[in-house]
Amino acid sequence: MASLDSICILRLSAIGDTCNAVAVVQAIQARHPAARITWVIGKAEATLLQGLPGIELVVFDKKVGFSAYRELRKQLAGRTFDALLVMQLALRANLVSLCISAKRRIGYDKARSKELHSLFINERIQPARRPHVLDTFRQFSSALDVPLAPPCWHIPVTHDDENWATNQLDESRQRGLVIVPAASAAERNWLPERYAAVADYACNNGFSVYLCGGPGATEVALAQAVSSHCKTPVRNLVGQSTLKQLFALIKQADMVIAPDTGPLHMAVAAGTPVIGLYAHSNPARTGPYGQQQHVADAYTPLLLKKLGDKAGQAPWGLRLKGDELMTHISIEQVCSLFDQVKEENKL
Protein backbone atom coordinates (compact mmCIF):
# COMPACT_ATOMS: atom_id res chain seq x y z
CA MET A 1 0.00 0.00 0.00
CA ALA A 2 1.23 3.50 -0.86
CA SER A 3 2.17 5.68 2.09
CA LEU A 4 -0.52 8.00 3.37
CA ASP A 5 0.29 11.64 4.03
CA SER A 6 -3.18 12.74 5.13
CA ILE A 7 -6.23 10.94 6.50
CA CYS A 8 -9.63 12.37 7.36
CA ILE A 9 -12.02 10.68 9.80
CA LEU A 10 -15.70 11.56 9.52
CA ARG A 11 -17.60 10.53 12.63
CA LEU A 12 -19.78 13.29 14.07
CA SER A 13 -21.62 11.60 16.90
CA ALA A 14 -22.53 10.25 19.39
CA ILE A 15 -20.41 10.21 22.56
CA GLY A 16 -20.38 6.42 22.81
CA ASP A 17 -19.57 5.90 19.14
CA THR A 18 -16.80 8.48 19.18
CA CYS A 19 -15.28 6.75 22.22
CA ASN A 20 -15.32 3.49 20.26
CA ALA A 21 -13.79 5.28 17.29
CA VAL A 22 -10.90 6.72 19.32
CA ALA A 23 -9.29 3.29 19.65
CA VAL A 24 -9.45 2.84 15.88
CA VAL A 25 -8.14 6.32 15.10
CA GLN A 26 -5.21 5.82 17.45
CA ALA A 27 -4.45 2.44 15.87
CA ILE A 28 -4.36 4.17 12.46
CA GLN A 29 -2.09 6.82 13.95
CA ALA A 30 0.32 4.17 15.23
CA ARG A 31 0.41 2.42 11.83
CA HIS A 32 0.83 5.67 9.85
CA PRO A 33 2.82 7.92 12.19
CA ALA A 34 3.83 10.35 9.44
CA ALA A 35 0.27 10.95 8.25
CA ARG A 36 -1.60 14.10 9.22
CA ILE A 37 -4.92 12.98 10.72
CA THR A 38 -7.97 15.23 10.77
CA TRP A 39 -11.21 14.27 12.50
CA VAL A 40 -14.47 16.00 11.52
CA ILE A 41 -16.54 15.69 14.66
CA GLY A 42 -19.59 17.02 16.49
CA LYS A 43 -19.33 19.92 18.92
CA ALA A 44 -20.11 18.03 22.14
CA GLU A 45 -17.91 15.11 21.16
CA ALA A 46 -15.01 17.48 20.46
CA THR A 47 -15.14 18.80 24.03
CA LEU A 48 -14.47 15.27 25.29
CA LEU A 49 -11.67 14.55 22.81
CA GLN A 50 -9.99 17.96 22.95
CA GLY A 51 -6.23 17.53 23.17
CA LEU A 52 -6.19 14.09 21.53
CA PRO A 53 -2.48 13.73 20.74
CA GLY A 54 -1.59 14.34 17.12
CA ILE A 55 -5.19 14.63 15.93
CA GLU A 56 -6.66 17.77 14.37
CA LEU A 57 -10.30 18.12 15.43
CA VAL A 58 -12.53 20.07 13.05
CA VAL A 59 -15.92 20.78 14.61
CA PHE A 60 -19.15 20.48 12.65
CA ASP A 61 -21.87 22.14 14.72
CA LYS A 62 -25.20 20.87 13.40
CA LYS A 63 -27.12 23.37 15.53
CA VAL A 64 -26.11 26.29 13.30
CA GLY A 65 -27.79 24.73 10.26
CA PHE A 66 -26.54 25.15 6.70
CA SER A 67 -23.81 27.58 7.74
CA ALA A 68 -22.03 24.60 9.35
CA TYR A 69 -21.48 23.13 5.88
CA ARG A 70 -20.13 26.44 4.54
CA GLU A 71 -17.79 26.80 7.50
CA LEU A 72 -16.48 23.26 7.09
CA ARG A 73 -15.86 23.74 3.39
CA LYS A 74 -14.03 26.97 4.20
CA GLN A 75 -11.86 25.31 6.85
CA LEU A 76 -10.83 22.48 4.53
CA ALA A 77 -10.49 24.56 1.36
CA GLY A 78 -7.47 23.64 -0.74
CA ARG A 79 -6.92 20.33 1.03
CA THR A 80 -7.31 16.90 -0.57
CA PHE A 81 -6.84 13.93 1.74
CA ASP A 82 -5.30 10.66 0.66
CA ALA A 83 -8.14 8.84 2.41
CA LEU A 84 -11.50 9.79 3.92
CA LEU A 85 -13.16 7.31 6.27
CA VAL A 86 -16.92 7.92 6.21
CA MET A 87 -17.66 6.14 9.47
CA GLN A 88 -21.27 7.29 9.83
CA LEU A 89 -24.33 6.35 7.77
CA ALA A 90 -26.68 9.21 8.64
CA LEU A 91 -27.69 11.44 5.74
CA ARG A 92 -26.21 14.46 7.51
CA ALA A 93 -22.83 12.76 7.66
CA ASN A 94 -23.06 11.78 4.01
CA LEU A 95 -23.78 15.39 3.09
CA VAL A 96 -20.90 16.57 5.25
CA SER A 97 -18.61 14.25 3.28
CA LEU A 98 -19.30 16.39 0.19
CA CYS A 99 -17.39 19.20 1.90
CA ILE A 100 -14.29 17.02 2.11
CA SER A 101 -12.03 16.37 -0.89
CA ALA A 102 -10.33 12.97 -0.84
CA LYS A 103 -8.81 10.51 -3.29
CA ARG A 104 -10.15 7.45 -1.49
CA ARG A 105 -13.61 7.72 0.05
CA ILE A 106 -14.05 4.60 2.17
CA GLY A 107 -17.50 3.70 3.47
CA TYR A 108 -19.66 0.81 4.59
CA ASP A 109 -20.32 -2.39 2.66
CA LYS A 110 -23.55 -2.67 0.66
CA ALA A 111 -25.43 -4.69 3.26
CA ARG A 112 -25.03 -1.98 5.90
CA SER A 113 -25.38 1.06 3.63
CA LYS A 114 -28.42 3.32 3.97
CA GLU A 115 -29.34 7.01 3.69
CA LEU A 116 -27.89 7.06 0.12
CA HIS A 117 -24.47 6.28 1.61
CA SER A 118 -23.26 4.46 -1.53
CA LEU A 119 -23.44 7.68 -3.55
CA PHE A 120 -20.80 9.37 -1.40
CA ILE A 121 -18.00 6.76 -1.40
CA ASN A 122 -15.74 4.99 -3.88
CA GLU A 123 -14.49 2.13 -1.67
CA ARG A 124 -16.13 -0.17 0.86
CA ILE A 125 -15.05 -1.97 3.99
CA GLN A 126 -15.40 -5.74 4.02
CA PRO A 127 -18.79 -7.25 4.95
CA ALA A 128 -19.04 -8.73 8.43
CA ARG A 129 -21.58 -10.91 10.17
CA ARG A 130 -22.99 -9.54 13.43
CA PRO A 131 -20.05 -7.36 14.57
CA HIS A 132 -19.81 -5.05 17.54
CA VAL A 133 -19.84 -1.37 16.55
CA LEU A 134 -16.17 -1.05 17.47
CA ASP A 135 -15.27 -4.05 15.33
CA THR A 136 -17.09 -2.41 12.42
CA PHE A 137 -14.94 0.67 12.95
CA ARG A 138 -11.87 -1.54 13.01
CA GLN A 139 -12.73 -2.67 9.49
CA PHE A 140 -12.07 0.92 8.40
CA SER A 141 -8.58 0.72 9.87
CA SER A 142 -8.05 -2.60 8.08
CA ALA A 143 -8.76 -0.77 4.81
CA LEU A 144 -5.69 1.35 5.65
CA ASP A 145 -3.49 -1.71 6.24
CA VAL A 146 -3.70 -1.50 10.04
CA PRO A 147 -3.21 -4.95 11.61
CA LEU A 148 -5.89 -6.03 14.08
CA ALA A 149 -4.79 -5.83 17.70
CA PRO A 150 -6.63 -5.43 21.00
CA PRO A 151 -8.01 -1.89 21.10
CA CYS A 152 -6.54 0.65 23.48
CA TRP A 153 -7.42 4.24 24.28
CA HIS A 154 -5.71 7.42 25.33
CA ILE A 155 -8.15 10.27 25.95
CA PRO A 156 -6.28 13.07 27.72
CA VAL A 157 -7.57 15.05 30.66
CA THR A 158 -6.03 18.17 32.14
CA HIS A 159 -4.70 18.50 35.68
CA ASP A 160 -7.66 20.77 36.43
CA ASP A 161 -10.08 18.04 35.34
CA GLU A 162 -8.23 15.46 37.41
CA ASN A 163 -8.23 17.77 40.42
CA TRP A 164 -11.96 18.37 40.05
CA ALA A 165 -12.59 14.63 40.02
CA THR A 166 -10.32 14.03 43.00
CA ASN A 167 -12.11 16.74 44.96
CA GLN A 168 -15.47 14.99 44.48
CA LEU A 169 -14.25 11.70 45.91
CA ASP A 170 -15.06 10.70 49.46
CA GLU A 171 -11.72 10.58 51.26
CA SER A 172 -13.16 8.30 53.95
CA ARG A 173 -13.70 5.45 51.49
CA GLN A 174 -11.24 3.93 49.04
CA ARG A 175 -13.74 2.64 46.49
CA GLY A 176 -16.13 4.58 44.29
CA LEU A 177 -19.12 3.63 42.15
CA VAL A 178 -20.37 6.03 39.49
CA ILE A 179 -24.00 5.56 38.49
CA VAL A 180 -25.15 7.36 35.33
CA PRO A 181 -28.94 6.89 35.56
CA ALA A 182 -30.12 8.57 32.35
CA ALA A 183 -29.75 7.66 28.69
CA SER A 184 -30.59 10.00 25.81
CA ALA A 185 -34.03 8.36 25.47
CA ALA A 186 -36.17 8.11 28.60
CA GLU A 187 -37.39 4.61 27.72
CA ARG A 188 -33.82 3.32 28.21
CA ASN A 189 -33.72 4.56 31.83
CA TRP A 190 -34.00 2.09 34.68
CA LEU A 191 -36.40 2.71 37.57
CA PRO A 192 -35.18 5.21 40.21
CA GLU A 193 -36.07 2.95 43.13
CA ARG A 194 -34.01 0.15 41.59
CA TYR A 195 -31.01 2.41 41.03
CA ALA A 196 -31.40 3.43 44.67
CA ALA A 197 -31.49 -0.18 45.87
CA VAL A 198 -28.25 -0.92 44.00
CA ALA A 199 -26.69 2.29 45.35
CA ASP A 200 -27.60 1.21 48.89
CA TYR A 201 -26.15 -2.24 48.24
CA ALA A 202 -22.88 -0.68 47.03
CA CYS A 203 -22.73 1.66 50.04
CA ASN A 204 -23.25 -1.28 52.38
CA ASN A 205 -20.32 -2.98 50.63
CA GLY A 206 -17.98 -0.09 51.37
CA PHE A 207 -18.40 2.00 48.21
CA SER A 208 -19.09 5.70 47.91
CA VAL A 209 -21.74 6.31 45.22
CA TYR A 210 -21.78 9.23 42.80
CA LEU A 211 -24.72 10.03 40.53
CA CYS A 212 -23.49 11.62 37.31
CA GLY A 213 -24.91 12.92 34.05
CA GLY A 214 -25.70 16.00 32.01
CA PRO A 215 -27.68 19.12 32.92
CA GLY A 216 -30.90 18.24 31.08
CA ALA A 217 -34.17 18.45 33.00
CA THR A 218 -34.86 14.72 32.61
CA GLU A 219 -31.41 13.78 33.90
CA VAL A 220 -31.68 16.13 36.87
CA ALA A 221 -35.17 14.90 37.77
CA LEU A 222 -34.16 11.24 37.54
CA ALA A 223 -31.11 11.78 39.75
CA GLN A 224 -33.24 13.57 42.33
CA ALA A 225 -35.70 10.67 42.28
CA VAL A 226 -32.88 8.17 42.78
CA SER A 227 -31.50 10.19 45.69
CA SER A 228 -34.93 10.40 47.32
CA HIS A 229 -35.23 6.60 47.33
CA CYS A 230 -31.76 5.98 48.75
CA LYS A 231 -31.46 4.91 52.38
CA THR A 232 -27.72 5.59 52.39
CA PRO A 233 -25.97 8.83 51.37
CA VAL A 234 -25.05 9.30 47.71
CA ARG A 235 -23.43 12.30 46.07
CA ASN A 236 -25.52 13.84 43.30
CA LEU A 237 -23.20 15.42 40.70
CA VAL A 238 -25.69 15.40 37.81
CA GLY A 239 -25.36 18.58 35.76
CA GLN A 240 -22.24 19.69 37.62
CA SER A 241 -19.46 18.38 35.37
CA THR A 242 -18.09 18.88 31.90
CA LEU A 243 -17.55 15.80 29.76
CA LYS A 244 -13.82 15.98 30.49
CA GLN A 245 -14.48 16.18 34.23
CA LEU A 246 -16.91 13.28 34.03
CA PHE A 247 -14.32 11.23 32.14
CA ALA A 248 -11.71 12.08 34.78
CA LEU A 249 -14.10 10.99 37.53
CA ILE A 250 -14.97 7.75 35.72
CA LYS A 251 -11.26 7.08 35.28
CA GLN A 252 -10.67 7.45 39.02
CA ALA A 253 -13.76 5.40 39.95
CA ASP A 254 -13.64 1.67 40.62
CA MET A 255 -16.89 0.77 38.85
CA VAL A 256 -19.59 2.34 36.67
CA ILE A 257 -23.24 1.37 36.20
CA ALA A 258 -25.13 2.85 33.25
CA PRO A 259 -27.78 2.09 30.65
CA ASP A 260 -27.04 2.26 26.91
CA THR A 261 -25.47 5.72 26.96
CA GLY A 262 -22.21 7.53 26.20
CA PRO A 263 -20.61 7.37 29.67
CA LEU A 264 -20.80 3.57 29.54
CA HIS A 265 -18.37 3.67 26.61
CA MET A 266 -16.35 6.39 28.33
CA ALA A 267 -15.81 3.86 31.12
CA VAL A 268 -14.47 1.31 28.63
CA ALA A 269 -12.11 3.94 27.21
CA ALA A 270 -11.00 4.86 30.74
CA GLY A 271 -10.32 1.23 31.63
CA THR A 272 -12.93 1.23 34.40
CA PRO A 273 -15.12 -1.85 34.95
CA VAL A 274 -18.69 -1.12 33.85
CA ILE A 275 -22.08 -2.80 34.21
CA GLY A 276 -24.44 -2.09 31.31
CA LEU A 277 -28.24 -2.13 31.56
CA TYR A 278 -29.76 -3.19 28.23
CA ALA A 279 -33.33 -3.87 27.17
CA HIS A 280 -33.87 -1.91 23.94
CA SER A 281 -30.69 -2.42 21.93
CA ASN A 282 -28.53 -5.46 21.28
CA PRO A 283 -25.68 -5.52 23.83
CA ALA A 284 -23.66 -7.83 21.58
CA ARG A 285 -23.59 -4.95 19.09
CA THR A 286 -23.50 -1.85 21.31
CA GLY A 287 -22.58 -3.09 24.78
CA PRO A 288 -19.38 -2.23 26.66
CA TYR A 289 -16.59 -3.58 24.45
CA GLY A 290 -14.67 -6.39 26.12
CA GLN A 291 -17.00 -6.31 29.13
CA GLN A 292 -20.19 -7.73 27.69
CA GLN A 293 -20.20 -10.41 30.35
CA HIS A 294 -21.09 -7.55 32.71
CA VAL A 295 -24.34 -6.64 30.97
CA ALA A 296 -27.72 -7.00 32.66
CA ASP A 297 -29.31 -8.25 29.45
CA ALA A 298 -33.09 -8.04 29.16
CA TYR A 299 -32.83 -7.55 25.39
CA THR A 300 -32.09 -11.16 24.48
CA PRO A 301 -34.99 -12.76 26.41
CA LEU A 302 -37.36 -10.00 25.27
CA LEU A 303 -36.35 -10.55 21.64
CA LEU A 304 -36.90 -14.29 22.06
CA LYS A 305 -40.33 -13.67 23.58
CA LYS A 306 -41.27 -11.32 20.75
CA LEU A 307 -39.99 -13.37 17.80
CA GLY A 308 -39.74 -16.92 19.12
CA ASP A 309 -37.85 -19.24 16.78
CA LYS A 310 -37.20 -16.32 14.41
CA ALA A 311 -35.18 -14.36 17.00
CA GLY A 312 -31.92 -15.61 15.48
CA GLN A 313 -32.95 -14.12 12.13
CA ALA A 314 -33.69 -10.65 13.52
CA PRO A 315 -31.71 -7.71 12.09
CA TRP A 316 -28.51 -7.31 14.10
CA GLY A 317 -29.29 -3.70 14.97
CA LEU A 318 -32.99 -4.24 15.76
CA ARG A 319 -34.22 -1.96 18.56
CA LEU A 320 -37.10 -3.03 20.75
CA LYS A 321 -39.74 -0.47 21.67
CA GLY A 322 -41.69 0.00 24.86
CA ASP A 323 -41.57 2.13 27.99
CA GLU A 324 -41.75 -0.92 30.24
CA LEU A 325 -38.84 -2.95 28.86
CA MET A 326 -36.29 -1.81 31.44
CA THR A 327 -38.52 -3.19 34.21
CA HIS A 328 -37.34 -6.64 33.09
CA ILE A 329 -33.94 -5.90 34.66
CA SER A 330 -34.08 -6.84 38.35
CA ILE A 331 -32.25 -5.41 41.34
CA GLU A 332 -30.92 -8.88 42.11
CA GLN A 333 -29.50 -9.21 38.59
CA VAL A 334 -27.53 -5.97 38.88
CA CYS A 335 -26.36 -6.65 42.44
CA SER A 336 -25.11 -10.05 41.29
CA LEU A 337 -23.12 -8.38 38.51
CA PHE A 338 -21.81 -5.85 41.05
CA ASP A 339 -20.52 -8.77 43.15
CA GLN A 340 -19.01 -10.38 40.06
CA VAL A 341 -17.15 -7.23 39.01
CA LYS A 342 -16.07 -6.60 42.58
CA GLU A 343 -14.64 -10.11 42.85
CA GLU A 344 -12.97 -10.10 39.42
CA ASN A 345 -11.21 -6.81 40.16
CA LYS A 346 -10.53 -7.54 43.84
CA LEU A 347 -12.32 -4.37 44.92
Side-chain angles (χ1 to χ4, degrees):
M1 174 177 288
S3 63
L4 298 172
D5 294 324
S6 59
I7 302 166
C8 185
I9 312 296
L10 174 54
R11 180 73 214 191
L12 303 175
S13 61
I15 296 295
D17 287 329
T18 52
C19 284
N20 282 324
V22 167
V24 174
V25 173
Q26 292 182 325
I28 293 171
Q29 190 177 30
R31 176 67 179 84
H32 300 283
R36 179 179 180 181
I37 300 179
T38 300
W39 189 339
V40 180
I41 192 170
K43 185 176 181 180
E45 292 75 13
T47 64
L48 174 62
L49 302 188
Q50 194 66 44
L52 208 60
I55 306 295
E56 175 194 20
L57 299 180
V58 176
V59 173
F60 178 86
D61 184 3
K62 64 181 181 181
K63 292 184 178 180
V64 302
F66 285 110
S67 62
Y69 295 90
R70 291 195 297 270
E71 179 61 24
L72 178 61
R73 192 179 291 275
K74 180 180 177 182
Q75 284 185 267
L76 299 181
R79 297 169 63 178
T80 296
F81 295 94
D82 290 328
L84 166 64
L85 307 186
V86 187
M87 296 172 65
Q88 192 161 349
L89 288 165
L91 182 58
R92 178 186 289 113
N94 288 323
L95 293 174
V96 168
S97 75
L98 293 177
C99 302
I100 305 168
S101 176
K103 299 171 186 175
R104 301 173 62 194
R105 305 174 66 86
I106 304 170
Y108 287 83
D109 56 283
K110 287 185 178 180
R112 285 176 282 188
S113 292
K114 58 182 181 179
E115 304 273 0
L116 304 177
H117 181 72
S118 298
L119 300 178
F120 300 86
I121 61 175
N122 58 22
E123 287 186 41
R124 297 183 184 276
I125 61 173
Q126 291 297 311
R129 189 175 185 275
R130 299 176 176 266
H132 189 279
V133 168
L134 195 153
D135 288 324
T136 296
F137 290 167
R138 293 170 87 197
Q139 290 176 265
F140 282 90
S141 65
S142 294
L144 298 183
D145 197 33
V146 177
L148 289 180
C152 56
W153 290 260
H154 174 53
I155 297 177
V157 292
T158 67
H159 290 304
D160 286 344
D161 297 325
E162 289 177 342
N163 289 338
W164 179 90
T166 300
N167 289 337
Q168 310 313 311
L169 299 175
D170 184 350
E171 295 181 357
S172 67
R173 299 195 183 191
Q174 294 183 340
R175 295 170 293 177
L177 168 66
V178 168
I179 297 178
V180 183
S184 58
E187 69 174 4
R188 298 205 301 266
N189 298 340
W190 205 29
L191 284 68
E193 60 270 23
R194 297 189 188 182
Y195 277 125
V198 173
D200 289 338
Y201 185 78
C203 284
N204 292 330
N205 276 272
F207 281 68
S208 294
V209 177
Y210 309 90
L211 303 181
C212 296
T218 300
E219 293 168 277
V220 170
L222 179 57
Q224 289 173 344
V226 173
S227 296
S228 70
H229 283 92
C230 285
K231 297 180 175 64
T232 52
V234 297
R235 182 148 195 197
N236 186 354
L237 298 174
V238 170
Q240 299 180 38
S241 64
T242 65
L243 280 172
K244 281 282 196 187
Q245 289 169 339
L246 176 57
F247 184 78
L249 183 64
I250 286 172
K251 196 168 185 178
Q252 293 187 37
D254 296 282
M255 196 187 306
V256 173
I257 296 176
D260 182 13
T261 188
L264 175 142
H265 301 286
M266 289 166 63
V268 174
T272 302
V274 58
I275 296 170
L277 312 179
Y278 278 71
H280 292 84
S281 55
N282 183 355
R285 179 179 176 271
T286 64
Y289 193 86
Q291 299 191 49
Q292 286 153 306
Q293 73 276 22
H294 300 152
V295 170
D297 177 17
Y299 176 88
T300 301
L302 286 168
L303 183 69
L304 185 61
K305 182 178 178 180
K306 179 181 176 68
L307 299 180
D309 293 341
K310 296 182 179 179
Q313 303 168 26
W316 188 234
L318 178 67
R319 288 183 180 270
L320 302 180
K321 300 293 183 182
D323 293 337
E324 81 294 345
L325 299 188
M326 292 293 284
T327 65
H328 292 267
I329 298 174
S330 69
I331 295 168
E332 293 74 19
Q333 190 177 5
V334 179
C335 288
S336 177
L337 286 167
F338 174 90
D339 290 339
Q340 178 184 328
V341 173
K342 181 171 172 287
E343 177 66 24
E344 288 176 359
N345 293 277
K346 296 179 171 51
L347 298 175

